[in-house]
Amino acid sequence: MGKYNNTVQYQTFDDLLEIMRNSSNNYDVKKIQKAYSLAVEAHGDQKRVSGIPYILHPTSVACIVAGFGMDSDSIISSLLHDVVEDTAYSLEFIRKEFGKDVANIVDGVTKISKIKLYSREEQQAENIRKMLIAMSNDIRVIIVKLADRLHNMRTIECMPEQKRRDKSRENMEVFAPIAHRLGMKAVKDELEDLSLKYLDPIGYAEIEDTLVLQENERDRFIERKKKEILKASKLPSGKITVYGRVKSINSIYRKTFLRGKTIDEIYDVFALRILVDDIKECYNMLGVIHDLYTPIPNRFKDYISTPKPNMYQSLHTTVIDSDGIPFEVQIRTWEMHQTAENGIAAHWRYKLGFTRIVNNKKARELDENINRIKDTLRAQIDTDDSTDIIRNIRNDFDQNEVYVFSPKGDVFNLPNGSTVIDLAYLIHTEVGNHMVGAKVDHRIVPIDYKLKTGEICEILTKKDSQPRRDWLDICKTSSARSKIRQWFKREKRDDNIIEGKTMLERELKRSNISLNDEELEQLLHFMLKKNKFNTVEDLYASIGYGGIQLWKIMPRIREEYNTKFKENEEETTVIQTAPARRKRATTGVIVDGMDDCMIKFSKCCNPLPGDPIIGYITRGFGVSIHKRNCPNVPKNLKDAEEPERYVKVRWEKGVKDNFRSTLEVICSDRTGLLADVTVALSAMRIFIHSLNSRQLSDGKAIITATIDISDREHLDLVVNRLTSIKDVIEVKRF
Ligand code: MN
């Protein structure tokens, strides 16, 4: 790679076999050999840009991945990672020959390769990082991708300048931060150093030259310290390893060029690293070091008792020797060392054979004061299941967001539940205003389609197309809604007037007020001055685009009407309220402070009698009833866009009716399960609106059933019955 670091550029299949032979892992060598044969055949006489046979790229990637300690499927996926993309073999074929895990990893790596990752905006970079992790349902996808990228960077010398810089920037923005988050320090450091070399060749060379210049001096220093430490440790040579480690060029660069320090001012340009067998020895060695040299105050860090979020563990201290030279010392066990270098990848090693070592350790006597620390570590290893760690990493990312691509590969980040309309307005107001439809993954979708992470969405526009009013109810984000309103306000004054007048008249009719145009104008006159409108038409227009909300002004209008017109109208009023009363009785919901209002049950959460509920005053459709904990209702009503619209509602006593309710049945997948659920439901004489099941990747399945339920009690009964079915894990109300 340069004067300072030397990495082998290409590794062969023989090298891979050698790495596997020297490993303590058990590999499925036969299957790996089969994958290699396929890769050889598939890539045929393809060449890299440098002229080197293509097959040496996948074998090199496989060597890197094997070096992390990864399992057979990861190695096989590495060998095959470019086969689907670049050759005639299909993913189906790979699934058939090597199983679904391998196919899934290869597919993931191929997909990531298609995304345009480089972006000038920091926000985009963050989105891309989050999305790559969200997309990788198997974290091995990311690990193989990192190895692929690392190898491409090791061999990028022969690529054109622009390409080298673009890739380097992607590494700095996307891949190195991901490697860091996964605790894969060795990959992170190498990616950053290789990238820096192309992004700032002069700065890189300057640091590299200084390091080379100091090399002999440093080696002698390290040799001296090593001897002193080994002697003071009183440990036999097999029990302790001491060596010098130089900080990565990129991290020196950041401290010198970006923080204005000189290399001599950086204490930890190089550090001594001490590897021992167990935690007790770590703390013993810390004592030895502090006896031998003078510790610099505030430079001691105990990452053993408090590991870093990416699982890193070590003791760090900076000391000064008798010549006044400061240097850092890092102390850790071999296991910690594996995790420090390879992070999450090291967990596959734990999975494959580390448990044995932990058990031996258990047998050893340990001092009282380090038992606490050991427990922490063991607790971590016992939850050995690497999926736990992945889940933790995932949880760092907001579950309430989705990430989608434009066809060009730009990533957009939206709140969960966003529709294609929201995306259109997020891309650009004009794109939203001219949208006619959308394609998701190349297929036309309805306008209320809810986007999911990883989907490629293309917004279809037409020059003369215009937004529709019902979009206001479909879209999820308030920014899209306000842009749509804005458009109607600006573009559609005439329509707004008609729409606004119609809405007002509808509302008046509901209040049994019927007036001719002249009388209406007379009635509304008092509204104009207050709202700085010149004409009644301004008022209608404002109602039409949603600037003035009818439900807000109606009480005042009714009041005005009562004083100005009521006498003549009294008879009709009495007659016409009767049907409205009847309607209220059937819904079973009472709205506080409102007698005759229309009620509808929201489709998003399907409230049942007994559920805590809340009402929302819609524009023109009365009050819609939501569950209090419906995701569409803010937890704190003060956060709502228009909190005044929420009203208290309660169930009438003893209401029983059929209410639509959706249940999710989570189960271990097996044949006949769907049938069992159906039989159970029909045995309870429950009407089923829809029923479908979906497989999850972990051998589980979700059955979603929309059924009629009469109340909470009934619901509990149904849930209990379904839970009792064999292999059903959990039944949740949606
Ligand atoms: Mn590749």
Side-chain angles (χ1 to χ4, degrees), residues 54 57 61 81-82 148 152:
Y54 197 92
H57 168 60
V61 175
H81 81 272
D82 280 330
D148 177 36
N152 282 332

Side-chain angles (χ1 to χ4, degrees), residues 32-303:
I32 292 170
Q33 236 140 6
K34 184 172 136 192
Y36 174 65
S37 307
L38 173 62
V40 169
E41 193 189 314
H43 290 295
D45 46 16
Q46 282 177 0
K47 296 259 189 313
R48 301 270 284 174
V49 173
S50 58
I52 283 165
Y54 197 92
I55 186 67
L56 286 175
H57 168 60
T59 52
S60 302
V61 175
C63 285
I64 294 172
V65 165
F68 295 156
M70 297 297 294
D71 61 351
S72 299
D73 279 353
S74 307
I75 292 171
I76 291 165
S77 307
S78 306
L79 289 168
L80 301 177
H81 81 272
D82 280 330
V83 162
V84 175
E85 182 68 357
D86 298 343
T87 77
Y89 291 90
S90 70
L91 200 60
E92 249 341 286
F93 179 78
I94 289 179
R95 184 171 296 125
K96 217 174 71 221
E97 293 292 311
F98 298 96
K100 69 176 194 311
D101 275 16
V102 169
N104 181 41
I105 299 171
V106 170
D107 187 38
V109 174
T110 311
K111 272 190 185 135
I112 291 177
S113 309
K114 285 183 185 157
I115 304 169
K116 191 192 93 183
L117 296 164
Y118 163 62
S119 129
R120 251 163 251 279
E121 294 151 52
E122 180 53 34
Q123 185 52 43
Q124 273 279 300
E126 177 62 15
N127 279 347
I128 293 167
R129 291 197 290 269
K130 285 173 168 183
M131 193 210 46
L132 288 190
I133 297 207
M135 260 176 79
S136 308
N137 47 10
D138 184 334
I139 206 77
R140 288 176 292 183
V141 170
I142 295 278
I143 291 170
V144 173
K145 182 64 209 173
L146 283 170
D148 177 36
R149 177 48 71 102
L150 183 59
H151 184 250
N152 282 332
M153 283 309 292
R154 283 178 184 172
T155 55
I156 206 169
E157 197 78 53
C158 52
M159 289 292 186
E161 155 105 16
Q162 190 56 46
K163 180 144 192 176
R164 294 193 302 226
R165 294 182 62 90
D166 286 353
K167 294 280 168 199
S168 297
R169 204 172 288 258
E170 277 179 12
N171 294 335
M172 290 295 198
E173 284 181 350
V174 178
F175 288 110
I178 287 178
H180 175 68
R181 189 62 192 84
L182 299 181
M184 303 174 72
K185 186 172 168 21
V187 175
K188 170 188 175 272
D189 282 352
E190 194 180 340
L191 274 180
E192 285 179 344
D193 279 4
L194 285 163
S195 303
L196 179 66
K197 188 173 157 187
Y198 298 111
L199 292 172
D200 183 356
I202 297 171
Y204 179 92
E206 203 171 299
I207 293 168
E208 191 177 44
D209 288 346
T210 317
L211 290 177
V212 171
L213 221 63
Q214 298 173 342
E215 202 167 10
N216 288 336
E217 195 188 330
R218 191 173 53 240
D219 284 352
R220 277 198 302 279
F221 179 82
I222 287 170
E223 228 18 72
R224 232 173 24 245
K225 295 298 135 192
K226 202 171 146 179
K227 265 188 203 137
E228 290 169 8
I229 292 168
L230 285 176
K231 190 165 161 234
S233 78
K234 299 196 180 87
L235 285 170
S237 61
K239 293 276 171 200
I240 177 168
T241 306
V242 182
Y243 65 95
R245 150 261 175 211
V246 178
K247 217 175 167 61
S248 78
I249 293 184
N250 183 59
S251 52
I252 297 172
Y253 180 87
R254 294 176 66 87
K255 288 199 175 174
T256 53
F257 286 72
L258 304 181
R259 288 198 222 152
K261 292 187 176 177
T262 66
I263 286 202
D264 303 327
E265 284 174 302
I266 306 172
Y267 288 142
D268 48 358
V269 161
F270 64 94
L272 281 158
R273 194 169 279 158
I274 302 176
L275 301 180
V276 287
D277 282 352
D278 57 39
I279 295 174
K280 182 186 170 184
E281 272 321 320
C282 290
Y283 287 92
N284 277 345
M285 282 313 299
L286 182 70
V288 169
I289 296 297
H290 284 180
D291 279 348
L292 209 50
Y293 313 106
T294 312
I296 297 179
N298 302 324
R299 296 279 304 178
F300 169 63
K301 293 196 189 81
D302 183 352
Y303 295 120

